[in-house]
Amino acid sequence: MNDVYIDLIISTIIENFGSEEAFYQDRLGISPERWENWKKGFTGLSPEEVQKIKNLFSDYEWMLLQKVLRQTIIYPEKRTFAVTEFRRLKTKIARKWLNIGLATVEILNTTGENETGQYLDLRVTIDYGQWGYDDILNFRLPAYIQQQIDNEQVALLDWVNDKLEETYNS
């Protein structure tokens, strides 16, 4: 199993669930041993389990993950910062989409909670008017961001331009 691929998946699991354990037990319903063996490439997962891993990402994010993975194969020196690069590119792309008026941004929920604390989900979407074909970038951010936007009367688009990269990549 490609270590960079695993690192990118684990990073997203921790972002969304707070821990690997919460994901493989609650979402996949598999044992710690099976999870570790899969990560080491000793065993495979069922097609349904693989699909649950892919569902951690939007279609666009999955494509971006593949591009970052390919870059680490072509340029091995990029392997050490692939997760950082993936996250940086997500924010750069979202800002570009928004700045040229191609996408919309929305907060999906005001707060949720996982093992790492309270959060809110921000989504940037390009809507093509055809169900299932939208390009989507999702960001799980600390819940205090909602207060920053509300208290300072900062427009969501302005906040994304000014603060998304530093907040999401920190």
Side-chain angles (χ1 to χ4, degrees), residues 86-118:
F86 176 74
R87 294 170 66 90
R88 186 188 70 78
L89 286 169
K90 277 179 60 174
T91 59
K92 184 177 178 98
I93 292 165
R95 288 176 59 203
K96 180 79 165 187
W97 288 355
L98 291 166
N99 285 332
I100 62 174
L102 195 58
T104 58
V105 62
E106 63 183 319
I107 294 175
L108 298 180
N109 62 25
T110 51
T111 58
E113 192 164 344
N114 64 22
E115 292 183 10
T116 59
Q118 290 191 329

PDB file of all heavy atoms in Angstrom, residues 86-118:
ATOM      1  N   PHE A  86      -1.895  18.730  -0.257  1.00  0.00           N
ATOM      2  CA  PHE A  86      -3.304  18.457  -0.555  1.00  0.00           C
ATOM      3  C   PHE A  86      -4.202  19.517   0.092  1.00  0.00           C
ATOM      4  O   PHE A  86      -5.067  20.095  -0.561  1.00  0.00           O
ATOM      5  CB  PHE A  86      -3.673  17.056  -0.061  1.00  0.00           C
ATOM      6  CG  PHE A  86      -5.123  16.697  -0.228  1.00  0.00           C
ATOM      7  CD1 PHE A  86      -5.644  16.397  -1.484  1.00  0.00           C
ATOM      8  CD2 PHE A  86      -5.971  16.640   0.868  1.00  0.00           C
ATOM      9  CE1 PHE A  86      -6.977  16.052  -1.646  1.00  0.00           C
ATOM     10  CE2 PHE A  86      -7.305  16.305   0.717  1.00  0.00           C
ATOM     11  CZ  PHE A  86      -7.817  16.013  -0.542  1.00  0.00           C
ATOM     12  N   ARG A  87      -3.957  19.794   1.352  1.00  0.00           N
ATOM     13  CA  ARG A  87      -4.761  20.780   2.075  1.00  0.00           C
ATOM     14  C   ARG A  87      -4.550  22.190   1.511  1.00  0.00           C
ATOM     15  O   ARG A  87      -5.490  22.960   1.364  1.00  0.00           O
ATOM     16  CB  ARG A  87      -4.451  20.721   3.568  1.00  0.00           C
ATOM     17  CG  ARG A  87      -4.891  19.404   4.193  1.00  0.00           C
ATOM     18  CD  ARG A  87      -4.378  19.246   5.614  1.00  0.00           C
ATOM     19  NE  ARG A  87      -4.947  20.199   6.529  1.00  0.00           N
ATOM     20  CZ  ARG A  87      -6.059  20.015   7.224  1.00  0.00           C
ATOM     21  NH1 ARG A  87      -6.725  18.897   7.110  1.00  0.00           N
ATOM     22  NH2 ARG A  87      -6.505  20.944   8.045  1.00  0.00           N
ATOM     23  N   ARG A  88      -3.316  22.513   1.180  1.00  0.00           N
ATOM     24  CA  ARG A  88      -3.003  23.824   0.606  1.00  0.00           C
ATOM     25  C   ARG A  88      -3.692  23.999  -0.745  1.00  0.00           C
ATOM     26  O   ARG A  88      -4.282  25.041  -1.025  1.00  0.00           O
ATOM     27  CB  ARG A  88      -1.485  23.998   0.453  1.00  0.00           C
ATOM     28  CG  ARG A  88      -1.064  25.385  -0.011  1.00  0.00           C
ATOM     29  CD  ARG A  88       0.415  25.457  -0.329  1.00  0.00           C
ATOM     30  NE  ARG A  88       0.765  24.710  -1.529  1.00  0.00           N
ATOM     31  CZ  ARG A  88       0.555  25.140  -2.777  1.00  0.00           C
ATOM     32  NH1 ARG A  88      -0.016  26.309  -2.985  1.00  0.00           N
ATOM     33  NH2 ARG A  88       0.908  24.398  -3.812  1.00  0.00           N
ATOM     34  N   LEU A  89      -3.639  22.971  -1.566  1.00  0.00           N
ATOM     35  CA  LEU A  89      -4.269  23.050  -2.882  1.00  0.00           C
ATOM     36  C   LEU A  89      -5.780  23.188  -2.770  1.00  0.00           C
ATOM     37  O   LEU A  89      -6.395  23.925  -3.549  1.00  0.00           O
ATOM     38  CB  LEU A  89      -3.898  21.837  -3.730  1.00  0.00           C
ATOM     39  CG  LEU A  89      -2.459  21.858  -4.257  1.00  0.00           C
ATOM     40  CD1 LEU A  89      -2.092  20.500  -4.850  1.00  0.00           C
ATOM     41  CD2 LEU A  89      -2.270  22.970  -5.261  1.00  0.00           C
ATOM     42  N   LYS A  90      -6.389  22.487  -1.820  1.00  0.00           N
ATOM     43  CA  LYS A  90      -7.839  22.632  -1.624  1.00  0.00           C
ATOM     44  C   LYS A  90      -8.196  24.085  -1.346  1.00  0.00           C
ATOM     45  O   LYS A  90      -9.142  24.624  -1.937  1.00  0.00           O
ATOM     46  CB  LYS A  90      -8.331  21.753  -0.464  1.00  0.00           C
ATOM     47  CG  LYS A  90      -8.602  20.338  -0.834  1.00  0.00           C
ATOM     48  CD  LYS A  90      -9.064  19.504   0.345  1.00  0.00           C
ATOM     49  CE  LYS A  90     -10.332  19.988   0.980  1.00  0.00           C
ATOM     50  NZ  LYS A  90     -10.836  19.095   2.034  1.00  0.00           N
ATOM     51  N   THR A  91      -7.447  24.731  -0.474  1.00  0.00           N
ATOM     52  CA  THR A  91      -7.766  26.124  -0.132  1.00  0.00           C
ATOM     53  C   THR A  91      -7.476  27.045  -1.306  1.00  0.00           C
ATOM     54  O   THR A  91      -8.251  27.963  -1.582  1.00  0.00           O
ATOM     55  CB  THR A  91      -7.000  26.599   1.116  1.00  0.00           C
ATOM     56  OG1 THR A  91      -5.596  26.494   0.895  1.00  0.00           O
ATOM     57  CG2 THR A  91      -7.381  25.788   2.338  1.00  0.00           C
ATOM     58  N   LYS A  92      -6.389  26.794  -2.007  1.00  0.00           N
ATOM     59  CA  LYS A  92      -6.037  27.632  -3.169  1.00  0.00           C
ATOM     60  C   LYS A  92      -7.105  27.514  -4.255  1.00  0.00           C
ATOM     61  O   LYS A  92      -7.529  28.521  -4.834  1.00  0.00           O
ATOM     62  CB  LYS A  92      -4.667  27.217  -3.693  1.00  0.00           C
ATOM     63  CG  LYS A  92      -4.157  28.066  -4.820  1.00  0.00           C
ATOM     64  CD  LYS A  92      -2.762  27.623  -5.224  1.00  0.00           C
ATOM     65  CE  LYS A  92      -2.260  28.430  -6.381  1.00  0.00           C
ATOM     66  NZ  LYS A  92      -1.397  29.514  -6.001  1.00  0.00           N
ATOM     67  N   ILE A  93      -7.552  26.317  -4.539  1.00  0.00           N
ATOM     68  CA  ILE A  93      -8.572  26.093  -5.563  1.00  0.00           C
ATOM     69  C   ILE A  93      -9.892  26.736  -5.141  1.00  0.00           C
ATOM     70  O   ILE A  93     -10.545  27.410  -5.946  1.00  0.00           O
ATOM     71  CB  ILE A  93      -8.740  24.586  -5.842  1.00  0.00           C
ATOM     72  CG1 ILE A  93      -7.483  24.041  -6.525  1.00  0.00           C
ATOM     73  CG2 ILE A  93      -9.988  24.308  -6.677  1.00  0.00           C
ATOM     74  CD1 ILE A  93      -7.373  22.526  -6.515  1.00  0.00           C
ATOM     75  N   ALA A  94     -10.288  26.550  -3.884  1.00  0.00           N
ATOM     76  CA  ALA A  94     -11.540  27.142  -3.404  1.00  0.00           C
ATOM     77  C   ALA A  94     -11.510  28.662  -3.545  1.00  0.00           C
ATOM     78  O   ALA A  94     -12.479  29.269  -4.019  1.00  0.00           O
ATOM     79  CB  ALA A  94     -11.794  26.747  -1.945  1.00  0.00           C
ATOM     80  N   ARG A  95     -10.416  29.270  -3.143  1.00  0.00           N
ATOM     81  CA  ARG A  95     -10.304  30.724  -3.263  1.00  0.00           C
ATOM     82  C   ARG A  95     -10.358  31.168  -4.714  1.00  0.00           C
ATOM     83  O   ARG A  95     -11.012  32.156  -5.044  1.00  0.00           O
ATOM     84  CB  ARG A  95      -9.014  31.207  -2.595  1.00  0.00           C
ATOM     85  CG  ARG A  95      -9.108  31.126  -1.072  1.00  0.00           C
ATOM     86  CD  ARG A  95      -7.836  31.503  -0.391  1.00  0.00           C
ATOM     87  NE  ARG A  95      -7.446  32.853  -0.753  1.00  0.00           N
ATOM     88  CZ  ARG A  95      -6.194  33.290  -0.682  1.00  0.00           C
ATOM     89  NH1 ARG A  95      -5.230  32.494  -0.294  1.00  0.00           N
ATOM     90  NH2 ARG A  95      -5.914  34.527  -1.002  1.00  0.00           N
ATOM     91  N   LYS A  96      -9.701  30.440  -5.606  1.00  0.00           N
ATOM     92  CA  LYS A  96      -9.714  30.783  -7.038  1.00  0.00           C
ATOM     93  C   LYS A  96     -11.133  30.688  -7.592  1.00  0.00           C
ATOM     94  O   LYS A  96     -11.602  31.598  -8.278  1.00  0.00           O
ATOM     95  CB  LYS A  96      -8.772  29.837  -7.791  1.00  0.00           C
ATOM     96  CG  LYS A  96      -8.685  30.068  -9.255  1.00  0.00           C
ATOM     97  CD  LYS A  96      -7.774  31.236  -9.538  1.00  0.00           C
ATOM     98  CE  LYS A  96      -7.389  31.251 -10.993  1.00  0.00           C
ATOM     99  NZ  LYS A  96      -6.404  32.258 -11.276  1.00  0.00           N
ATOM    100  N   TRP A  97     -11.816  29.587  -7.301  1.00  0.00           N
ATOM    101  CA  TRP A  97     -13.200  29.419  -7.759  1.00  0.00           C
ATOM    102  C   TRP A  97     -14.076  30.583  -7.306  1.00  0.00           C
ATOM    103  O   TRP A  97     -14.879  31.106  -8.061  1.00  0.00           O
ATOM    104  CB  TRP A  97     -13.798  28.133  -7.218  1.00  0.00           C
ATOM    105  CG  TRP A  97     -13.308  26.855  -7.811  1.00  0.00           C
ATOM    106  CD1 TRP A  97     -12.452  26.671  -8.859  1.00  0.00           C
ATOM    107  CD2 TRP A  97     -13.678  25.558  -7.370  1.00  0.00           C
ATOM    108  NE1 TRP A  97     -12.266  25.330  -9.084  1.00  0.00           N
ATOM    109  CE2 TRP A  97     -13.007  24.617  -8.187  1.00  0.00           C
ATOM    110  CE3 TRP A  97     -14.502  25.075  -6.349  1.00  0.00           C
ATOM    111  CZ2 TRP A  97     -13.136  23.245  -8.032  1.00  0.00           C
ATOM    112  CZ3 TRP A  97     -14.635  23.709  -6.196  1.00  0.00           C
ATOM    113  CH2 TRP A  97     -13.959  22.805  -7.022  1.00  0.00           C
ATOM    114  N   LEU A  98     -13.928  30.945  -6.032  1.00  0.00           N
ATOM    115  CA  LEU A  98     -14.768  32.004  -5.466  1.00  0.00           C
ATOM    116  C   LEU A  98     -14.404  33.376  -6.035  1.00  0.00           C
ATOM    117  O   LEU A  98     -15.283  34.183  -6.326  1.00  0.00           O
ATOM    118  CB  LEU A  98     -14.672  32.005  -3.943  1.00  0.00           C
ATOM    119  CG  LEU A  98     -15.323  30.793  -3.277  1.00  0.00           C
ATOM    120  CD1 LEU A  98     -14.886  30.683  -1.826  1.00  0.00           C
ATOM    121  CD2 LEU A  98     -16.835  30.858  -3.395  1.00  0.00           C
ATOM    122  N   ASN A  99     -13.122  33.637  -6.181  1.00  0.00           N
ATOM    123  CA  ASN A  99     -12.688  34.945  -6.659  1.00  0.00           C
ATOM    124  C   ASN A  99     -13.088  35.220  -8.102  1.00  0.00           C
ATOM    125  O   ASN A  99     -13.259  36.376  -8.479  1.00  0.00           O
ATOM    126  CB  ASN A  99     -11.178  35.112  -6.481  1.00  0.00           C
ATOM    127  CG  ASN A  99     -10.810  35.356  -5.033  1.00  0.00           C
ATOM    128  OD1 ASN A  99     -11.595  35.897  -4.268  1.00  0.00           O
ATOM    129  ND2 ASN A  99      -9.624  34.934  -4.659  1.00  0.00           N
ATOM    130  N   ILE A 100     -13.234  34.191  -8.906  1.00  0.00           N
ATOM    131  CA  ILE A 100     -13.661  34.413 -10.291  1.00  0.00           C
ATOM    132  C   ILE A 100     -15.172  34.237 -10.447  1.00  0.00           C
ATOM    133  O   ILE A 100     -15.692  34.281 -11.562  1.00  0.00           O
ATOM    134  CB  ILE A 100     -12.890  33.511 -11.290  1.00  0.00           C
ATOM    135  CG1 ILE A 100     -13.141  32.030 -11.029  1.00  0.00           C
ATOM    136  CG2 ILE A 100     -11.409  33.838 -11.289  1.00  0.00           C
ATOM    137  CD1 ILE A 100     -12.530  31.104 -12.077  1.00  0.00           C
ATOM    138  N   GLY A 101     -15.868  34.042  -9.317  1.00  0.00           N
ATOM    139  CA  GLY A 101     -17.321  33.964  -9.346  1.00  0.00           C
ATOM    140  C   GLY A 101     -17.874  32.651  -9.867  1.00  0.00           C
ATOM    141  O   GLY A 101     -19.043  32.574 -10.245  1.00  0.00           O
ATOM    142  N   LEU A 102     -17.066  31.629  -9.853  1.00  0.00           N
ATOM    143  CA  LEU A 102     -17.467  30.333 -10.390  1.00  0.00           C
ATOM    144  C   LEU A 102     -18.207  29.479  -9.359  1.00  0.00           C
ATOM    145  O   LEU A 102     -18.995  28.618  -9.739  1.00  0.00           O
ATOM    146  CB  LEU A 102     -16.202  29.595 -10.868  1.00  0.00           C
ATOM    147  CG  LEU A 102     -16.349  28.395 -11.755  1.00  0.00           C
ATOM    148  CD1 LEU A 102     -17.103  28.741 -13.032  1.00  0.00           C
ATOM    149  CD2 LEU A 102     -14.965  27.841 -12.108  1.00  0.00           C
ATOM    150  N   ALA A 103     -17.964  29.734  -8.080  1.00  0.00           N
ATOM    151  CA  ALA A 103     -18.488  28.861  -7.026  1.00  0.00           C
ATOM    152  C   ALA A 103     -19.241  29.650  -5.970  1.00  0.00           C
ATOM    153  O   ALA A 103     -19.178  30.879  -5.919  1.00  0.00           O
ATOM    154  CB  ALA A 103     -17.332  28.101  -6.376  1.00  0.00           C
ATOM    155  N   THR A 104     -19.944  28.920  -5.132  1.00  0.00           N
ATOM    156  CA  THR A 104     -20.594  29.494  -3.955  1.00  0.00           C
ATOM    157  C   THR A 104     -20.004  28.844  -2.716  1.00  0.00           C
ATOM    158  O   THR A 104     -19.469  27.737  -2.776  1.00  0.00           O
ATOM    159  CB  THR A 104     -22.113  29.245  -3.984  1.00  0.00           C
ATOM    160  OG1 THR A 104     -22.353  27.838  -4.047  1.00  0.00           O
ATOM    161  CG2 THR A 104     -22.765  29.938  -5.158  1.00  0.00           C
ATOM    162  N   VAL A 105     -20.106  29.550  -1.611  1.00  0.00           N
ATOM    163  CA  VAL A 105     -19.609  29.027  -0.344  1.00  0.00           C
ATOM    164  C   VAL A 105     -20.760  29.025   0.656  1.00  0.00           C
ATOM    165  O   VAL A 105     -21.598  29.931   0.655  1.00  0.00           O
ATOM    166  CB  VAL A 105     -18.409  29.863   0.182  1.00  0.00           C
ATOM    167  CG1 VAL A 105     -18.794  31.294   0.453  1.00  0.00           C
ATOM    168  CG2 VAL A 105     -17.792  29.214   1.414  1.00  0.00           C
ATOM    169  N   GLU A 106     -20.795  27.987   1.487  1.00  0.00           N
ATOM    170  CA  GLU A 106     -21.844  27.907   2.502  1.00  0.00           C
ATOM    171  C   GLU A 106     -21.324  27.172   3.727  1.00  0.00           C
ATOM    172  O   GLU A 106     -20.419  26.343   3.629  1.00  0.00           O
ATOM    173  CB  GLU A 106     -23.080  27.193   1.952  1.00  0.00           C
ATOM    174  CG  GLU A 106     -22.835  25.750   1.565  1.00  0.00           C
ATOM    175  CD  GLU A 106     -24.041  25.072   0.952  1.00  0.00           C
ATOM    176  OE1 GLU A 106     -25.161  25.287   1.439  1.00  0.00           O
ATOM    177  OE2 GLU A 106     -23.841  24.317  -0.010  1.00  0.00           O
ATOM    178  N   ILE A 107     -21.903  27.516   4.858  1.00  0.00           N
ATOM    179  CA  ILE A 107     -21.642  26.772   6.083  1.00  0.00           C
ATOM    180  C   ILE A 107     -22.751  25.745   6.195  1.00  0.00           C
ATOM    181  O   ILE A 107     -23.929  26.088   6.193  1.00  0.00           O
ATOM    182  CB  ILE A 107     -21.599  27.702   7.310  1.00  0.00           C
ATOM    183  CG1 ILE A 107     -20.402  28.642   7.183  1.00  0.00           C
ATOM    184  CG2 ILE A 107     -21.531  26.881   8.592  1.00  0.00           C
ATOM    185  CD1 ILE A 107     -20.314  29.680   8.275  1.00  0.00           C
ATOM    186  N   LEU A 108     -22.371  24.462   6.283  1.00  0.00           N
ATOM    187  CA  LEU A 108     -23.358  23.388   6.271  1.00  0.00           C
ATOM    188  C   LEU A 108     -24.032  23.179   7.612  1.00  0.00           C
ATOM    189  O   LEU A 108     -25.195  22.840   7.685  1.00  0.00           O
ATOM    190  CB  LEU A 108     -22.719  22.080   5.811  1.00  0.00           C
ATOM    191  CG  LEU A 108     -22.162  22.099   4.399  1.00  0.00           C
ATOM    192  CD1 LEU A 108     -21.556  20.753   4.057  1.00  0.00           C
ATOM    193  CD2 LEU A 108     -23.251  22.457   3.405  1.00  0.00           C
ATOM    194  N   ASN A 109     -23.284  23.311   8.672  1.00  0.00           N
ATOM    195  CA  ASN A 109     -23.887  23.230   9.996  1.00  0.00           C
ATOM    196  C   ASN A 109     -23.180  24.220  10.900  1.00  0.00           C
ATOM    197  O   ASN A 109     -22.047  24.577  10.658  1.00  0.00           O
ATOM    198  CB  ASN A 109     -23.822  21.801  10.567  1.00  0.00           C
ATOM    199  CG  ASN A 109     -22.399  21.312  10.748  1.00  0.00           C
ATOM    200  OD1 ASN A 109     -21.469  22.086  10.909  1.00  0.00           O
ATOM    201  ND2 ASN A 109     -22.220  20.008  10.731  1.00  0.00           N
ATOM    202  N   THR A 110     -23.885  24.667  11.900  1.00  0.00           N
ATOM    203  CA  THR A 110     -23.259  25.669  12.750  1.00  0.00           C
ATOM    204  C   THR A 110     -22.234  25.051  13.682  1.00  0.00           C
ATOM    205  O   THR A 110     -21.192  25.626  13.898  1.00  0.00           O
ATOM    206  CB  THR A 110     -24.307  26.464  13.548  1.00  0.00           C
ATOM    207  OG1 THR A 110     -25.174  25.548  14.198  1.00  0.00           O
ATOM    208  CG2 THR A 110     -25.095  27.362  12.618  1.00  0.00           C
ATOM    209  N   THR A 111     -22.506  23.894  14.231  1.00  0.00           N
ATOM    210  CA  THR A 111     -21.482  23.212  15.024  1.00  0.00           C
ATOM    211  C   THR A 111     -21.778  21.725  15.075  1.00  0.00           C
ATOM    212  O   THR A 111     -22.920  21.290  15.036  1.00  0.00           O
ATOM    213  CB  THR A 111     -21.406  23.722  16.489  1.00  0.00           C
ATOM    214  OG1 THR A 111     -22.674  23.554  17.106  1.00  0.00           O
ATOM    215  CG2 THR A 111     -20.953  25.143  16.573  1.00  0.00           C
ATOM    216  N   GLY A 112     -20.730  20.993  15.143  1.00  0.00           N
ATOM    217  CA  GLY A 112     -20.778  19.562  15.383  1.00  0.00           C
ATOM    218  C   GLY A 112     -19.659  19.258  16.356  1.00  0.00           C
ATOM    219  O   GLY A 112     -18.925  20.164  16.763  1.00  0.00           O
ATOM    220  N   GLU A 113     -19.516  18.013  16.723  1.00  0.00           N
ATOM    221  CA  GLU A 113     -18.444  17.683  17.648  1.00  0.00           C
ATOM    222  C   GLU A 113     -17.914  16.300  17.330  1.00  0.00           C
ATOM    223  O   GLU A 113     -18.666  15.387  17.008  1.00  0.00           O
ATOM    224  CB  GLU A 113     -18.948  17.743  19.093  1.00  0.00           C
ATOM    225  CG  GLU A 113     -17.841  17.701  20.096  1.00  0.00           C
ATOM    226  CD  GLU A 113     -18.278  18.137  21.485  1.00  0.00           C
ATOM    227  OE1 GLU A 113     -19.341  18.751  21.636  1.00  0.00           O
ATOM    228  OE2 GLU A 113     -17.525  17.839  22.420  1.00  0.00           O
ATOM    229  N   ASN A 114     -16.596  16.172  17.392  1.00  0.00           N
ATOM    230  CA  ASN A 114     -15.961  14.871  17.307  1.00  0.00           C
ATOM    231  C   ASN A 114     -14.916  14.799  18.406  1.00  0.00           C
ATOM    232  O   ASN A 114     -14.895  15.657  19.287  1.00  0.00           O
ATOM    233  CB  ASN A 114     -15.381  14.605  15.908  1.00  0.00           C
ATOM    234  CG  ASN A 114     -14.264  15.556  15.509  1.00  0.00           C
ATOM    235  OD1 ASN A 114     -13.616  16.163  16.352  1.00  0.00           O
ATOM    236  ND2 ASN A 114     -14.042  15.691  14.221  1.00  0.00           N
ATOM    237  N   GLU A 115     -14.026  13.824  18.339  1.00  0.00           N
ATOM    238  CA  GLU A 115     -13.052  13.641  19.410  1.00  0.00           C
ATOM    239  C   GLU A 115     -12.078  14.807  19.552  1.00  0.00           C
ATOM    240  O   GLU A 115     -11.443  14.957  20.580  1.00  0.00           O
ATOM    241  CB  GLU A 115     -12.284  12.336  19.187  1.00  0.00           C
ATOM    242  CG  GLU A 115     -13.160  11.115  19.359  1.00  0.00           C
ATOM    243  CD  GLU A 115     -12.391   9.818  19.204  1.00  0.00           C
ATOM    244  OE1 GLU A 115     -11.152   9.842  19.145  1.00  0.00           O
ATOM    245  OE2 GLU A 115     -13.055   8.769  19.159  1.00  0.00           O
ATOM    246  N   THR A 116     -11.947  15.625  18.522  1.00  0.00           N
ATOM    247  CA  THR A 116     -11.024  16.756  18.593  1.00  0.00           C
ATOM    248  C   THR A 116     -11.702  18.063  18.993  1.00  0.00           C
ATOM    249  O   THR A 116     -11.059  19.086  19.079  1.00  0.00           O
ATOM    250  CB  THR A 116     -10.292  16.955  17.248  1.00  0.00           C
ATOM    251  OG1 THR A 116     -11.253  17.177  16.228  1.00  0.00           O
ATOM    252  CG2 THR A 116      -9.422  15.759  16.902  1.00  0.00           C
ATOM    253  N   GLY A 117     -13.009  18.032  19.221  1.00  0.00           N
ATOM    254  CA  GLY A 117     -13.710  19.227  19.659  1.00  0.00           C
ATOM    255  C   GLY A 117     -14.813  19.655  18.713  1.00  0.00           C
ATOM    256  O   GLY A 117     -15.206  18.914  17.824  1.00  0.00           O
ATOM    257  N   GLN A 118     -15.290  20.882  18.928  1.00  0.00           N
ATOM    258  CA  GLN A 118     -16.389  21.392  18.111  1.00  0.00           C
ATOM    259  C   GLN A 118     -15.867  21.903  16.771  1.00  0.00           C
ATOM    260  O   GLN A 118     -14.758  22.412  16.676  1.00  0.00           O
ATOM    261  CB  GLN A 118     -17.121  22.512  18.841  1.00  0.00           C
ATOM    262  CG  GLN A 118     -17.900  22.018  20.024  1.00  0.00           C
ATOM    263  CD  GLN A 118     -18.817  23.097  20.564  1.00  0.00           C
ATOM    264  OE1 GLN A 118     -18.512  24.275  20.482  1.00  0.00           O
ATOM    265  NE2 GLN A 118     -19.940  22.684  21.095  1.00  0.00           N
TER     266      GLN A 118
END
